[in-house]
C-alpha cells in the first residue's frame, strides 16, 4: 500500500513562517541546496529578503510587483509587470545576486526560488518575451515549459528554475526520472522542489478551490521516498532523491508547477535518468503531434 511521505509533501500553509505562506530553506529538516518562499501580497504590505549569501529568482504567479534591491550600498528598483495567472503565459522575472537584499511591494501572489551560495552573479531582469518556451513531449504527454532559469537562459551560480503547464488530462514529469547520482555527462545530483497550482479549464463552470492534479515519487538506490498525492494550489513537494513523476492534470483542470533545483555537483546542469521500466514510452511520441491547446498565453516569442 502506498502512502504520502509527510517529510516531503506539504499542504498549502503548512510551512508558513514570518508573513510567508510557505518557506522551504536550510531550516527545513534534511534539506540543503534549494528553497522557496511563497506569499500573497496585499497593497501596503512589504516583504523583506534581508539575508545575503542566497541567490534568488522572483517569480510573479499573479499580479505585479516592485522590488527594491540593494548591493554594496546601491539601491535599484525593478518593476515586474507579472500576469493575471500562471496559465496566462510566461512572466518577467528577476534574478537577484547573492550579495543583494531586497524589499517587495505590490499586489498578487509571488514565489521566490532560492539557493545558498557564496558565488556572486549579476542581478538581471528577464522579460517575458525573452523567456524560452519549450513544448515538450507529444499527444497526452504534451506540456509547456518556461525555461527562464535554466543554464542556457540564465547565468546563475547554482539555481536551475523553470515552470511547467500541463493541460487538463495530460501527463508531465513523465516518464518518471531521477537526478540523484553524479555520473559525468549522464546524470547530475539535484534537490528539487515542486510548487503546484491548479485551475478549472478556461470557460468551465467550476469552483477554483476544487481544482487538482496528481503527483507521484518513488524510491531509487539513493533513498526511500513515497509520495502519491492529490495536489492543489499552494501545495509543495520536496524531492531529495528518487524517481519523480508523473504529474497528472485531472480532466477539467489545468496543472502548473514551478520547479526549483540545485545540488552539490561542480557543474550547473540538469541531467536525468529515466526509470528503465518506463523509458520506452518516449519512443511512442514519434509521429504524434503536440497538443493543440499549447502554447498557453499570448507570449510565444522565443519558442523552442
Amino acid at each position: 500500500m502506498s502512502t504520502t511521505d509527510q517529510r516531503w509533501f506539504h499542504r498549502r500553509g503548512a510551512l508558513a513562517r514570518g508573513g510567508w505562506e510557505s518557506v522551504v530553506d536550510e531550516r527545513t529538516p534534511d534539506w540543503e541546496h534549494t528553497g522557496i518562499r511563497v506569499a500573497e501580497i496585499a497593497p501596503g504590505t512589504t516583504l523583506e529578503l534581508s539575508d545575503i549569501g542566497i541567490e534568488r529568482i522572483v517569480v510573479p504567479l499573479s499580479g505585479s510587483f516592485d522590488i527594491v534591491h540593494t548591493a554594496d550600498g546601491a539601491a535599484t528598483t525593478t518593476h515586474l509587470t507579472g500576469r493575471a495567472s500562471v496559465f496566462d503565459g510566461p512572466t518577467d522575472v528577476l534574478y537577484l545576486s547573492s550579495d543583494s537584499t531586497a524589499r517587495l511591494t505590490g499586489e498578487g501572489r509571488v514565489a521566490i526560488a532560492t539557493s545558498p551560495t557564496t558565488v556572486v552573479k549579476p542581478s538581471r531582469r528577464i522579460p517575458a518575451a525573452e523567456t524560452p518556451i519549450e513544448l515538450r513531449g507529444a499527444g497526452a504527454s504534451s506540456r509547456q515549459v518556461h525555461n527562464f532559469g535554466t543554464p542556457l537562459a540564465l547565468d546563475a551560480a547554482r539555481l536551475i528554475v523553470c515552470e511547467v503547464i500541463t493541460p487538463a488530462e495530460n501527463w508531465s514529469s513523465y516518464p518518471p526520472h531521477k537526478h540523484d547520482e553524479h555520473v559525468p555527462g549522464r546524470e547530475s545530483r539535484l534537490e528539487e522542489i515542486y510548487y503546484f497550482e491548479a485551475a478549472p479549464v478556461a470557460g468551465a463552470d467550476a469552483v477554483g478551490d476544487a481544482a487538482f492534479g496528481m503527483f507521484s515519487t518513488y524510491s531509487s538506490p539513493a533513498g526511500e521516498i513515497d509520495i502519491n498525492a492529490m495536489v492543489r494550489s499552494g501545495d509543495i513537494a520536496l524531492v531529495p532523491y528518487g524517481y519523480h513523476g508523473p504529474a497528472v492534470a485531472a480532466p477539467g483542470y489545468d496543472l502548473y508547477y514551478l520547479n526549483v533545483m540545485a545540488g552539490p555537483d561542480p557543474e550547473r546542469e540538469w541531467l536525468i535518468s529515466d526509470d528503465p521500466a518506463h523509458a520506452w514510452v518516449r519512443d511512442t511520441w514519434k509521429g504524434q503531434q503536440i497538443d493543440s491547446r499549447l502554447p498557453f498565453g499570448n507570449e510565444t516569442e522565443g519558442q523552442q
Side-chain angles (χ1 to χ4, degrees):
M1 183 175 66
S2 187
T3 60
T4 295
D5 193 325
Q6 295 304 310
R7 283 187 303 163
W8 307 128
F9 184 74
H10 303 275
R11 293 295 181 191
R12 180 174 185 168
L15 298 172
R17 189 201 307 163
W20 297 86
E21 177 185 288
S22 297
V23 177
V24 176
D25 60 16
E26 71 281 354
R27 286 176 281 183
T28 303
D30 303 312
W31 206 247
E32 183 178 0
H33 302 289
T34 60
I36 191 170
R37 290 173 177 255
V38 180
E40 193 92 31
I41 300 181
T45 301
T46 299
L47 289 176
E48 301 283 346
L49 301 171
S50 57
D51 294 332
I52 60 172
I54 302 170
E55 63 176 351
R56 305 173 172 96
I57 301 180
V58 181
V59 183
L61 301 171
S62 63
S64 300
F65 304 94
D66 289 303
I67 303 101
V68 178
H69 44 109
T70 304
D72 295 327
T76 303
T77 300
T78 299
H79 177 72
L80 297 181
T81 302
R83 55 191 167 182
S85 82
V86 294
F87 300 104
D88 289 309
T91 178
D92 47 348
V93 304
L94 176 64
Y95 172 79
L96 287 171
S97 67
S98 61
D99 63 349
S100 295
T101 60
R103 185 173 71 251
L104 278 72
T105 57
E107 183 175 6
R109 193 166 174 80
V110 66
I112 318 289
T114 69
S115 181
T117 182
T118 58
V119 177
V120 177
K121 298 286 187 176
S123 295
R124 178 189 167 199
R125 177 181 175 272
I126 302 171
E130 294 180 12
T131 294
I133 301 175
E134 176 187 2
L135 302 184
R136 188 179 296 172
S141 295
S142 300
R143 57 271 203 186
Q144 177 174 330
V145 186
H146 300 158
N147 287 309
F148 53 79
T150 55
L152 290 178
L154 175 67
D155 180 23
R158 306 180 75 212
L159 274 173
I160 299 175
V161 182
C162 65
E163 55 185 12
V164 181
I165 300 95
T166 309
E169 303 183 41
N170 283 12
W171 291 44
S172 59
S173 280
Y174 190 73
H177 57 280
K178 70 182 184 74
H179 36 72
D180 56 20
E181 293 182 88
H182 179 51
V183 183
R186 290 178 46 201
E187 186 176 341
S188 52
R189 291 177 294 174
L190 296 166
E191 281 183 348
E192 185 164 16
I193 298 170
Y194 279 72
Y195 164 80
F196 296 96
E197 294 205 2
V201 298
D205 183 14
V207 178
D209 289 346
F212 74 99
M214 304 295 294
F215 179 70
S216 177
T217 71
Y218 53 96
S219 302
S220 73
E224 297 290 323
I225 189 169
D226 185 11
I227 301 172
N228 284 284
M230 179 182 287
V231 296
R232 295 185 172 89
S233 292
D235 292 347
I236 290 175
L238 305 179
V239 184
Y241 39 67
Y243 290 103
H244 40 289
V248 184
Y253 303 111
D254 298 321
L255 183 66
Y256 163 96
Y257 49 88
L258 179 69
N259 285 145
V260 182
M261 293 174 278
D265 291 352
E267 299 295 326
R268 176 179 169 248
E269 53 187 355
W270 182 67
L271 299 174
I272 67 171
S273 295
D274 288 337
D275 183 340
H278 305 294
W280 64 271
V281 171
R282 290 189 187 274
D283 291 334
T284 68
W285 299 343
K286 295 176 181 177
Q288 294 189 57
Q289 299 297 311
I290 293 286
D291 192 312
S292 61
R293 292 173 292 179
L294 298 177
F296 274 52
N298 297 319
E299 299 285 352
T300 57
E301 294 183 33
Q303 184 174 316
Q304 298 181 349

mmCIF file with all atom_site columns, all heavy atoms in Angstrom, residues 235-253:
data_model
loop_
_atom_site.group_PDB
_atom_site.id
_atom_site.type_symbol
_atom_site.label_atom_id
_atom_site.label_alt_id
_atom_site.label_comp_id
_atom_site.label_asym_id
_atom_site.label_entity_id
_atom_site.label_seq_id
_atom_site.pdbx_PDB_ins_code
_atom_site.Cartn_x
_atom_site.Cartn_y
_atom_site.Cartn_z
_atom_site.occupancy
_atom_site.B_iso_or_equiv
_atom_site.pdbx_formal_charge
_atom_site.auth_seq_id
_atom_site.auth_comp_id
_atom_site.auth_asym_id
_atom_site.auth_atom_id
_atom_site.pdbx_PDB_model_num
ATOM 1   N N   . ASP A 1 235 ? 0.272   23.714 -2.731  1.00 0.00 ? 235 ASP A N   1
ATOM 2   C CA  . ASP A 1 235 ? 0.952   22.540 -2.186  1.00 0.00 ? 235 ASP A CA  1
ATOM 3   C C   . ASP A 1 235 ? 2.395   22.477 -2.679  1.00 0.00 ? 235 ASP A C   1
ATOM 4   O O   . ASP A 1 235 ? 2.712   22.955 -3.779  1.00 0.00 ? 235 ASP A O   1
ATOM 5   C CB  . ASP A 1 235 ? 0.225   21.258 -2.587  1.00 0.00 ? 235 ASP A CB  1
ATOM 6   C CG  . ASP A 1 235 ? -1.136  21.114 -1.938  1.00 0.00 ? 235 ASP A CG  1
ATOM 7   O OD1 . ASP A 1 235 ? -1.434  21.867 -0.983  1.00 0.00 ? 235 ASP A OD1 1
ATOM 8   O OD2 . ASP A 1 235 ? -1.917  20.246 -2.388  1.00 0.00 ? 235 ASP A OD2 1
ATOM 9   N N   . ILE A 1 236 ? 3.260   21.866 -1.868  1.00 0.00 ? 236 ILE A N   1
ATOM 10  C CA  . ILE A 1 236 ? 4.684   21.772 -2.183  1.00 0.00 ? 236 ILE A CA  1
ATOM 11  C C   . ILE A 1 236 ? 5.165   20.344 -1.959  1.00 0.00 ? 236 ILE A C   1
ATOM 12  O O   . ILE A 1 236 ? 4.901   19.745 -0.907  1.00 0.00 ? 236 ILE A O   1
ATOM 13  C CB  . ILE A 1 236 ? 5.506   22.737 -1.310  1.00 0.00 ? 236 ILE A CB  1
ATOM 14  C CG1 . ILE A 1 236 ? 5.224   24.185 -1.714  1.00 0.00 ? 236 ILE A CG1 1
ATOM 15  C CG2 . ILE A 1 236 ? 6.999   22.432 -1.397  1.00 0.00 ? 236 ILE A CG2 1
ATOM 16  C CD1 . ILE A 1 236 ? 5.899   25.211 -0.829  1.00 0.00 ? 236 ILE A CD1 1
ATOM 17  N N   . ALA A 1 237 ? 5.875   19.804 -2.951  1.00 0.00 ? 237 ALA A N   1
ATOM 18  C CA  . ALA A 1 237 ? 6.546   18.509 -2.827  1.00 0.00 ? 237 ALA A CA  1
ATOM 19  C C   . ALA A 1 237 ? 8.051   18.734 -2.873  1.00 0.00 ? 237 ALA A C   1
ATOM 20  O O   . ALA A 1 237 ? 8.543   19.505 -3.696  1.00 0.00 ? 237 ALA A O   1
ATOM 21  C CB  . ALA A 1 237 ? 6.117   17.560 -3.936  1.00 0.00 ? 237 ALA A CB  1
ATOM 22  N N   . LEU A 1 238 ? 8.766   18.066 -1.973  1.00 0.00 ? 238 LEU A N   1
ATOM 23  C CA  . LEU A 1 238 ? 10.223  18.105 -1.945  1.00 0.00 ? 238 LEU A CA  1
ATOM 24  C C   . LEU A 1 238 ? 10.741  16.762 -2.440  1.00 0.00 ? 238 LEU A C   1
ATOM 25  O O   . LEU A 1 238 ? 10.291  15.705 -1.997  1.00 0.00 ? 238 LEU A O   1
ATOM 26  C CB  . LEU A 1 238 ? 10.723  18.354 -0.520  1.00 0.00 ? 238 LEU A CB  1
ATOM 27  C CG  . LEU A 1 238 ? 10.169  19.586 0.186   1.00 0.00 ? 238 LEU A CG  1
ATOM 28  C CD1 . LEU A 1 238 ? 10.742  19.687 1.602   1.00 0.00 ? 238 LEU A CD1 1
ATOM 29  C CD2 . LEU A 1 238 ? 10.480  20.850 -0.601  1.00 0.00 ? 238 LEU A CD2 1
ATOM 30  N N   . VAL A 1 239 ? 11.710  16.819 -3.364  1.00 0.00 ? 239 VAL A N   1
ATOM 31  C CA  . VAL A 1 239 ? 12.260  15.592 -3.953  1.00 0.00 ? 239 VAL A CA  1
ATOM 32  C C   . VAL A 1 239 ? 13.772  15.599 -3.714  1.00 0.00 ? 239 VAL A C   1
ATOM 33  O O   . VAL A 1 239 ? 14.532  16.158 -4.506  1.00 0.00 ? 239 VAL A O   1
ATOM 34  C CB  . VAL A 1 239 ? 11.935  15.491 -5.447  1.00 0.00 ? 239 VAL A CB  1
ATOM 35  C CG1 . VAL A 1 239 ? 12.442  14.155 -6.003  1.00 0.00 ? 239 VAL A CG1 1
ATOM 36  C CG2 . VAL A 1 239 ? 10.440  15.619 -5.698  1.00 0.00 ? 239 VAL A CG2 1
ATOM 37  N N   . PRO A 1 240 ? 14.235  14.980 -2.614  1.00 0.00 ? 240 PRO A N   1
ATOM 38  C CA  . PRO A 1 240 ? 15.666  14.947 -2.347  1.00 0.00 ? 240 PRO A CA  1
ATOM 39  C C   . PRO A 1 240 ? 16.396  13.900 -3.188  1.00 0.00 ? 240 PRO A C   1
ATOM 40  O O   . PRO A 1 240 ? 17.605  14.016 -3.421  1.00 0.00 ? 240 PRO A O   1
ATOM 41  C CB  . PRO A 1 240 ? 15.730  14.587 -0.864  1.00 0.00 ? 240 PRO A CB  1
ATOM 42  C CG  . PRO A 1 240 ? 14.492  13.769 -0.631  1.00 0.00 ? 240 PRO A CG  1
ATOM 43  C CD  . PRO A 1 240 ? 13.437  14.350 -1.552  1.00 0.00 ? 240 PRO A CD  1
ATOM 44  N N   . TYR A 1 241 ? 15.665  12.880 -3.624  1.00 0.00 ? 241 TYR A N   1
ATOM 45  C CA  . TYR A 1 241 ? 16.204  11.770 -4.412  1.00 0.00 ? 241 TYR A CA  1
ATOM 46  C C   . TYR A 1 241 ? 15.012  10.950 -4.887  1.00 0.00 ? 241 TYR A C   1
ATOM 47  O O   . TYR A 1 241 ? 13.854  11.240 -4.550  1.00 0.00 ? 241 TYR A O   1
ATOM 48  C CB  . TYR A 1 241 ? 17.157  10.898 -3.573  1.00 0.00 ? 241 TYR A CB  1
ATOM 49  C CG  . TYR A 1 241 ? 16.706  10.686 -2.148  1.00 0.00 ? 241 TYR A CG  1
ATOM 50  C CD1 . TYR A 1 241 ? 15.557  9.938  -1.847  1.00 0.00 ? 241 TYR A CD1 1
ATOM 51  C CD2 . TYR A 1 241 ? 17.389  11.268 -1.088  1.00 0.00 ? 241 TYR A CD2 1
ATOM 52  C CE1 . TYR A 1 241 ? 15.132  9.766  -0.545  1.00 0.00 ? 241 TYR A CE1 1
ATOM 53  C CE2 . TYR A 1 241 ? 16.970  11.103 0.224   1.00 0.00 ? 241 TYR A CE2 1
ATOM 54  C CZ  . TYR A 1 241 ? 15.845  10.342 0.492   1.00 0.00 ? 241 TYR A CZ  1
ATOM 55  O OH  . TYR A 1 241 ? 15.407  10.184 1.774   1.00 0.00 ? 241 TYR A OH  1
ATOM 56  N N   . GLY A 1 242 ? 15.285  9.944  -5.675  1.00 0.00 ? 242 GLY A N   1
ATOM 57  C CA  . GLY A 1 242 ? 14.227  9.058  -6.130  1.00 0.00 ? 242 GLY A CA  1
ATOM 58  C C   . GLY A 1 242 ? 13.655  9.450  -7.481  1.00 0.00 ? 242 GLY A C   1
ATOM 59  O O   . GLY A 1 242 ? 13.910  10.533 -8.002  1.00 0.00 ? 242 GLY A O   1
ATOM 60  N N   . TYR A 1 243 ? 12.885  8.527  -8.038  1.00 0.00 ? 243 TYR A N   1
ATOM 61  C CA  . TYR A 1 243 ? 12.181  8.777  -9.292  1.00 0.00 ? 243 TYR A CA  1
ATOM 62  C C   . TYR A 1 243 ? 10.967  9.647  -9.014  1.00 0.00 ? 243 TYR A C   1
ATOM 63  O O   . TYR A 1 243 ? 10.231  9.419  -8.052  1.00 0.00 ? 243 TYR A O   1
ATOM 64  C CB  . TYR A 1 243 ? 11.739  7.458  -9.925  1.00 0.00 ? 243 TYR A CB  1
ATOM 65  C CG  . TYR A 1 243 ? 12.887  6.638  -10.444 1.00 0.00 ? 243 TYR A CG  1
ATOM 66  C CD1 . TYR A 1 243 ? 13.360  5.528  -9.735  1.00 0.00 ? 243 TYR A CD1 1
ATOM 67  C CD2 . TYR A 1 243 ? 13.515  6.954  -11.651 1.00 0.00 ? 243 TYR A CD2 1
ATOM 68  C CE1 . TYR A 1 243 ? 14.417  4.764  -10.212 1.00 0.00 ? 243 TYR A CE1 1
ATOM 69  C CE2 . TYR A 1 243 ? 14.575  6.201  -12.134 1.00 0.00 ? 243 TYR A CE2 1
ATOM 70  C CZ  . TYR A 1 243 ? 15.027  5.112  -11.410 1.00 0.00 ? 243 TYR A CZ  1
ATOM 71  O OH  . TYR A 1 243 ? 16.075  4.372  -11.886 1.00 0.00 ? 243 TYR A OH  1
ATOM 72  N N   . HIS A 1 244 ? 10.749  10.647 -9.852  1.00 0.00 ? 244 HIS A N   1
ATOM 73  C CA  . HIS A 1 244 ? 9.589   11.515 -9.673  1.00 0.00 ? 244 HIS A CA  1
ATOM 74  C C   . HIS A 1 244 ? 8.830   11.645 -10.985 1.00 0.00 ? 244 HIS A C   1
ATOM 75  O O   . HIS A 1 244 ? 9.397   11.688 -12.058 1.00 0.00 ? 244 HIS A O   1
ATOM 76  C CB  . HIS A 1 244 ? 9.962   12.879 -9.098  1.00 0.00 ? 244 HIS A CB  1
ATOM 77  C CG  . HIS A 1 244 ? 11.209  13.477 -9.642  1.00 0.00 ? 244 HIS A CG  1
ATOM 78  N ND1 . HIS A 1 244 ? 12.453  12.990 -9.350  1.00 0.00 ? 244 HIS A ND1 1
ATOM 79  C CD2 . HIS A 1 244 ? 11.407  14.535 -10.461 1.00 0.00 ? 244 HIS A CD2 1
ATOM 80  C CE1 . HIS A 1 244 ? 13.366  13.721 -9.953  1.00 0.00 ? 244 HIS A CE1 1
ATOM 81  N NE2 . HIS A 1 244 ? 12.752  14.663 -10.651 1.00 0.00 ? 244 HIS A NE2 1
ATOM 82  N N   . GLY A 1 245 ? 7.524   11.682 -10.821 1.00 0.00 ? 245 GLY A N   1
ATOM 83  C CA  . GLY A 1 245 ? 6.598   11.665 -11.924 1.00 0.00 ? 245 GLY A CA  1
ATOM 84  C C   . GLY A 1 245 ? 5.794   10.376 -11.886 1.00 0.00 ? 245 GLY A C   1
ATOM 85  O O   . GLY A 1 245 ? 6.201   9.397  -11.258 1.00 0.00 ? 245 GLY A O   1
ATOM 86  N N   . PRO A 1 246 ? 4.613   10.440 -12.510 1.00 0.00 ? 246 PRO A N   1
ATOM 87  C CA  . PRO A 1 246 ? 4.110   11.564 -13.282 1.00 0.00 ? 246 PRO A CA  1
ATOM 88  C C   . PRO A 1 246 ? 3.448   12.639 -12.426 1.00 0.00 ? 246 PRO A C   1
ATOM 89  O O   . PRO A 1 246 ? 3.098   12.411 -11.281 1.00 0.00 ? 246 PRO A O   1
ATOM 90  C CB  . PRO A 1 246 ? 3.068   10.907 -14.187 1.00 0.00 ? 246 PRO A CB  1
ATOM 91  C CG  . PRO A 1 246 ? 2.531   9.789  -13.330 1.00 0.00 ? 246 PRO A CG  1
ATOM 92  C CD  . PRO A 1 246 ? 3.721   9.272  -12.561 1.00 0.00 ? 246 PRO A CD  1
ATOM 93  N N   . ALA A 1 247 ? 3.295   13.825 -13.053 1.00 0.00 ? 247 ALA A N   1
ATOM 94  C CA  . ALA A 1 247 ? 2.381   14.859 -12.575 1.00 0.00 ? 247 ALA A CA  1
ATOM 95  C C   . ALA A 1 247 ? 1.236   14.882 -13.576 1.00 0.00 ? 247 ALA A C   1
ATOM 96  O O   . ALA A 1 247 ? 1.465   15.089 -14.772 1.00 0.00 ? 247 ALA A O   1
ATOM 97  C CB  . ALA A 1 247 ? 3.077   16.213 -12.505 1.00 0.00 ? 247 ALA A CB  1
ATOM 98  N N   . VAL A 1 248 ? 0.034   14.646 -13.111 1.00 0.00 ? 248 VAL A N   1
ATOM 99  C CA  . VAL A 1 248 ? -1.106  14.425 -13.999 1.00 0.00 ? 248 VAL A CA  1
ATOM 100 C C   . VAL A 1 248 ? -2.165  15.495 -13.759 1.00 0.00 ? 248 VAL A C   1
ATOM 101 O O   . VAL A 1 248 ? -2.562  15.738 -12.612 1.00 0.00 ? 248 VAL A O   1
ATOM 102 C CB  . VAL A 1 248 ? -1.716  13.027 -13.770 1.00 0.00 ? 248 VAL A CB  1
ATOM 103 C CG1 . VAL A 1 248 ? -2.848  12.775 -14.762 1.00 0.00 ? 248 VAL A CG1 1
ATOM 104 C CG2 . VAL A 1 248 ? -0.649  11.942 -13.888 1.00 0.00 ? 248 VAL A CG2 1
ATOM 105 N N   . ALA A 1 249 ? -2.611  16.131 -14.829 1.00 0.00 ? 249 ALA A N   1
ATOM 106 C CA  . ALA A 1 249 ? -3.693  17.106 -14.750 1.00 0.00 ? 249 ALA A CA  1
ATOM 107 C C   . ALA A 1 249 ? -5.027  16.371 -14.889 1.00 0.00 ? 249 ALA A C   1
ATOM 108 O O   . ALA A 1 249 ? -5.260  15.682 -15.889 1.00 0.00 ? 249 ALA A O   1
ATOM 109 C CB  . ALA A 1 249 ? -3.551  18.158 -15.848 1.00 0.00 ? 249 ALA A CB  1
ATOM 110 N N   . ALA A 1 250 ? -5.886  16.498 -13.906 1.00 0.00 ? 250 ALA A N   1
ATOM 111 C CA  . ALA A 1 250 ? -7.180  15.809 -13.938 1.00 0.00 ? 250 ALA A CA  1
ATOM 112 C C   . ALA A 1 250 ? -8.061  16.372 -15.050 1.00 0.00 ? 250 ALA A C   1
ATOM 113 O O   . ALA A 1 250 ? -7.925  17.542 -15.434 1.00 0.00 ? 250 ALA A O   1
ATOM 114 C CB  . ALA A 1 250 ? -7.879  15.973 -12.592 1.00 0.00 ? 250 ALA A CB  1
ATOM 115 N N   . PRO A 1 251 ? -8.976  15.578 -15.584 1.00 0.00 ? 251 PRO A N   1
ATOM 116 C CA  . PRO A 1 251 ? -9.928  16.113 -16.553 1.00 0.00 ? 251 PRO A CA  1
ATOM 117 C C   . PRO A 1 251 ? -10.667 17.320 -15.975 1.00 0.00 ? 251 PRO A C   1
ATOM 118 O O   . PRO A 1 251 ? -11.130 17.300 -14.837 1.00 0.00 ? 251 PRO A O   1
ATOM 119 C CB  . PRO A 1 251 ? -10.884 14.932 -16.787 1.00 0.00 ? 251 PRO A CB  1
ATOM 120 C CG  . PRO A 1 251 ? -10.046 13.722 -16.524 1.00 0.00 ? 251 PRO A CG  1
ATOM 121 C CD  . PRO A 1 251 ? -9.148  14.119 -15.385 1.00 0.00 ? 251 PRO A CD  1
ATOM 122 N N   . GLY A 1 252 ? -10.735 18.395 -16.769 1.00 0.00 ? 252 GLY A N   1
ATOM 123 C CA  . GLY A 1 252 ? -11.415 19.600 -16.339 1.00 0.00 ? 252 GLY A CA  1
ATOM 124 C C   . GLY A 1 252 ? -10.533 20.616 -15.644 1.00 0.00 ? 252 GLY A C   1
ATOM 125 O O   . GLY A 1 252 ? -10.962 21.747 -15.403 1.00 0.00 ? 252 GLY A O   1
ATOM 126 N N   . TYR A 1 253 ? -9.275  20.223 -15.326 1.00 0.00 ? 253 TYR A N   1
ATOM 127 C CA  . TYR A 1 253 ? -8.393  21.113 -14.567 1.00 0.00 ? 253 TYR A CA  1
ATOM 128 C C   . TYR A 1 253 ? -6.987  21.141 -15.162 1.00 0.00 ? 253 TYR A C   1
ATOM 129 O O   . TYR A 1 253 ? -6.375  20.090 -15.370 1.00 0.00 ? 253 TYR A O   1
ATOM 130 C CB  . TYR A 1 253 ? -8.304  20.666 -13.105 1.00 0.00 ? 253 TYR A CB  1
ATOM 131 C CG  . TYR A 1 253 ? -9.634  20.600 -12.413 1.00 0.00 ? 253 TYR A CG  1
ATOM 132 C CD1 . TYR A 1 253 ? -10.194 19.378 -12.049 1.00 0.00 ? 253 TYR A CD1 1
ATOM 133 C CD2 . TYR A 1 253 ? -10.347 21.762 -12.120 1.00 0.00 ? 253 TYR A CD2 1
ATOM 134 C CE1 . TYR A 1 253 ? -11.421 19.313 -11.413 1.00 0.00 ? 253 TYR A CE1 1
ATOM 135 C CE2 . TYR A 1 253 ? -11.575 21.710 -11.483 1.00 0.00 ? 253 TYR A CE2 1
ATOM 136 C CZ  . TYR A 1 253 ? -12.104 20.485 -11.136 1.00 0.00 ? 253 TYR A CZ  1
ATOM 137 O OH  . TYR A 1 253 ? -13.318 20.429 -10.504 1.00 0.00 ? 253 TYR A OH  1
#
